[in-house]
Amino acid sequence: MVYLAANLAAAAVPFTMLPVLVRLIDKAEYGQVAIFQAFVNMTLAIVGVNTVGAVKRHYFVARNDGASGEASYAHLIGTTLAILAASFALSFVVVLAFGRWLVPLTGLDTRALTFGLVFAAASFVVNLRLADYQVRGRAAAFGIMQVGMALANLLLSLIIVLWFLRSAEGRILGVTLSGVAVAAIALVSLARAGLIRWPVRAAVKEALAFGLPLVPHALGMFLLASADRFFIKTYVGLAEVGVYAAAVQISFLLRVVNDAMNKSFQPWVFDRLSRGNDTADTRLDTGRVVVGAFYRIGAVSVVMAGFLALSGPFFIPILLGAGYADAAGLIPILALGTAFHGLYLYLINVLLYTRRTSALASTTIVLGLINLGLLFLLVPRWGAQGAAWAFAIASLMRVLTVGGLCRKAWPLSWTKPRFSVSPQ
């Protein structure tokens, strides 16, 4: 419940800012902010090489090894930070060298692209600190940092947009500065806790073995979740991107709830699988328990999506104003796709624990390319509605595909779930 409250509080901050921001800057500028966020999502696939997950997994593997386990854990955290520094430097050189060719595609200048890189790196550091809080069960510390970052984002953005730069650039600057400030706090906190040690060869191999196969997966996730903004910009315009992004921001509330529930569900799944791997019978029994828990938590996601789909169109005109009335028709479609995303989020925990990240990566990149094809077909004809339907269709395909992969990674009995054990 603490994770859920923290995620909802953090999500409430940009949600609260949404009615203010859409009235301070026009739809085209809000669309530019959405493009910036999409660029950040793409950059997150590269900066840090998705190694935070390796840290989470290592904690559960080494937690019974005493001092040596804590030492290897700290070496792994130091290694992920070194990988972050190297990947950020490489990405920075690429943006400086090729940024001018990205301007026509993104509508962002080189400075905004650089801010996107900085914010992505800062987000990695914050997520690393949050991951340690999560695996140790320090929910209060997790919530304070998560909500604190959201509040810093809100306050700096409002100050800059209201008094200095009433434009997309002001919002982008506020996001970047708040991310850097909280990342600095997170880094100091890790160092003071003795959780940063010099990289060692074994930790480098472990981190890259986990993270590198996930780079195509993360890029596929970008194609599934964020590429639609670029298509809408190209075929319709930045103003339509602004309307679509506002609808996505509202449907994002459901994603936040799913993410919060998964922050409790994922450690439970990892712990359950780590204790149920002795014999074929225990693996089968563990699989039934995990499926039962998945059905329960998935049902919650579907019900919430139904509520959002029914209620969203009624409060859009009040929340966003008449200029964003078209966003009301997008909410039910986006809610459907977001519900499928929640089911996927719960399923992939099995693949992450069993280190089937290569299969996950190849599947996601294929589905991302399928989503690109859907965007090519639907956006030129139906604009933002076409992008929303492409997202929903691709998200359903992703759930079905990942469900099959999970069945190969662990003996999950989809027809014989066990409901007697619930995640704590």
Side-chain angles (χ1 to χ4, degrees):
M1 289 302 295
V2 175
Y3 291 119
L4 178 59
N7 272 38
L8 288 176
V13 172
F15 188 78
T16 303
M17 187 177 180
L18 182 61
V20 178
L21 194 60
V22 296
R23 288 168 173 84
L24 287 176
I25 61 178
D26 61 34
K27 288 188 288 187
E29 288 182 318
Y30 190 74
Q32 197 172 11
V33 173
I35 293 290
F36 171 80
Q37 292 169 335
F39 175 74
V40 169
N41 291 339
M42 180 183 68
T43 306
L44 282 169
I46 302 168
V47 173
V49 200
N50 301 282
T51 51
V52 171
V55 172
K56 289 183 181 181
R57 184 185 183 279
H58 186 88
Y59 177 85
F60 288 99
V61 172
R63 61 181 172 175
N64 296 324
D65 294 340
S68 63
E70 280 293 319
S72 66
Y73 180 71
H75 281 301
L76 185 59
I77 289 178
T79 298
T80 62
L81 291 172
I83 292 172
L84 169 67
S87 56
F88 173 81
L90 179 61
S91 301
F92 182 68
V93 171
V94 171
V95 165
L96 289 182
F98 303 102
R100 63 182 180 274
W101 284 289
L102 294 174
V103 172
L105 174 63
T106 63
L108 303 173
D109 58 22
T110 303
R111 179 167 59 179
L113 294 173
T114 303
F115 284 166
L117 282 178
V118 172
F119 181 67
S123 297
F124 179 93
V125 175
V126 174
N127 288 335
L128 187 61
R129 190 60 180 114
L130 291 176
D132 178 70
Y133 286 146
Q134 182 187 354
V135 296
R136 295 179 188 274
R138 298 181 59 185
F142 182 102
I144 290 171
M145 176 161 285
Q146 186 180 38
V147 176
M149 184 168 182
L151 287 173
N153 186 329
L154 170 69
L155 293 175
L156 278 173
S157 295
L158 284 179
I159 289 171
I160 294 172
V161 172
L162 283 172
W163 284 288
F164 298 100
L165 287 170
R166 185 167 292 193
S167 63
E169 186 179 1
R171 170 62 170 156
I172 290 170
L173 183 59
V175 168
T176 306
L177 291 177
S178 63
V180 170
V182 178
I185 294 172
L187 198 60
V188 170
S189 175
L190 284 169
R192 293 185 64 181
L195 293 175
I196 302 177
R197 294 196 180 189
W198 287 105
V200 295
R201 180 175 298 180
V204 173
K205 290 177 63 177
E206 179 180 354
L208 293 180
F210 184 97
L212 280 177
L214 285 175
V215 171
H217 166 71
L219 290 173
M221 289 292 291
F222 163 75
L223 295 178
L224 285 165
S226 301
D228 45 13
R229 279 71 155 179
F230 297 99
F231 277 83
I232 297 172
K233 175 192 174 294
T234 300
Y235 289 103
V236 187
L238 274 174
E240 188 75 1
V241 175
V243 173
Y244 182 79
V248 169
Q249 184 67 55
I250 292 171
S251 68
F252 188 73
L253 286 173
L254 177 58
R255 183 172 295 204
V256 167
V257 175
N258 283 325
D259 182 64
M261 292 193 296
N262 192 54
K263 282 183 169 63
S264 295
F265 187 63
Q266 185 185 73
W268 179 84
V269 171
F270 283 9
D271 180 65
R272 192 76 193 181
L273 296 180
S274 68
R275 292 189 289 113
N277 195 26
D278 298 329
T279 66
D281 287 340
T282 57
R283 284 171 60 86
L284 182 61
D285 186 64
T286 299
R288 292 179 59 199
V289 171
V290 169
V291 169
F294 167 75
Y295 282 156
R296 283 197 303 270
I297 200 168
V300 174
S301 178
V302 171
V303 169
M304 290 188 300
F307 176 78
L308 180 61
L310 293 174
S311 63
F314 293 100
F315 62 74
I316 285 288
I318 300 172
L319 187 66
L320 302 180
Y324 287 81
D326 290 345
L330 301 173
I331 294 296
I333 310 170
L334 292 171
L336 177 65
T338 306
F340 292 143
H341 171 80
L343 299 180
Y344 154 83
L345 197 64
Y346 304 134
L347 280 173
I348 62 168
N349 292 318
V350 175
L351 298 180
L352 293 176
Y353 180 81
T354 55
R355 293 194 286 188
R356 300 295 180 92
T357 53
S358 296
L360 181 62
S362 59
T363 299
T364 306
I365 197 70
V366 169
L367 290 172
L369 293 174
I370 291 174
N371 187 54
L372 282 184
L374 291 171
L375 290 170
F376 272 116
L377 289 173
L378 301 178
V379 172
R381 185 170 181 179
W382 287 293
Q385 285 238 349
W389 276 115
F391 167 66
I393 294 169
S395 296
L396 173 60
M397 295 175 65
R398 181 170 46 174
V399 171
L400 297 175
T401 304
V402 170
L405 291 175
C406 288
R407 183 66 181 82
K408 294 180 179 180
W410 196 279
L412 302 177
S413 179
W414 298 111
T415 58
K416 295 180 180 179
R418 183 178 158 197
F419 297 101
S420 59
V421 178
S422 60
Q424 300 295 327

